[in-house]
Amino acid sequence: MSIEIAFIPKAEQHSQYDWVDISCAGVRVGKARCTRDGAVFTIFSINIYPEWAGHGYGREFVDYCKIHYDVIIADRVRQTAIGFWEAVGFRDNKDGNWVYRRAGAA
């Protein structure tokens, strides 16, 4: 399994967020709402469509982010999602956010 990540330019969507299409084999399986600020990437939501849920696409998207950004913030994590963020290596920031820092990142 390998996903394709496509950032939709803010100018095309009239949004303050960076929207990301998540696809596999040319089929859109979900989307994410994020912001990019240099080496810091904030994820506000990952929405894998119900028919594609449970196939690892959310985890693969986070793995992609870990390769491309030094610090990733999962913004205001819901109680039901804490297990996911723990499983992909994020730590509780004690402010409702969960954070991943690449080794050596500030």
Side-chain angles (χ1 to χ4, degrees), residues 23-103:
S23 301
C24 184
V27 176
R28 191 167 165 206
V29 298
K31 61 184 176 182
R33 182 172 51 104
C34 315
T35 57
R36 298 182 282 185
D37 186 10
V40 177
F41 191 71
T42 302
I43 301 171
F44 296 95
S45 64
I46 302 172
N47 179 17
I48 302 301
Y49 304 136
E51 62 270 28
W52 300 105
H55 295 261
Y57 297 121
R59 178 182 293 269
E60 198 169 337
F61 172 68
V62 172
D63 289 345
Y64 168 91
C65 296
K66 287 179 175 180
I67 292 167
H68 292 88
Y69 300 96
D70 292 337
V71 177
I72 306 165
I73 300 167
D75 184 73
R76 294 179 280 166
V77 171
R78 292 175 305 194
Q79 188 70 30
T80 57
I82 288 173
F84 171 81
W85 293 107
E86 285 179 330
V88 294
F90 283 59
R91 301 283 181 245
D92 188 353
N93 204 43
K94 307 297 184 202
D95 62 358
N97 297 336
W98 286 68
V99 179
Y100 171 86
R101 284 184 175 78
R102 186 182 311 165

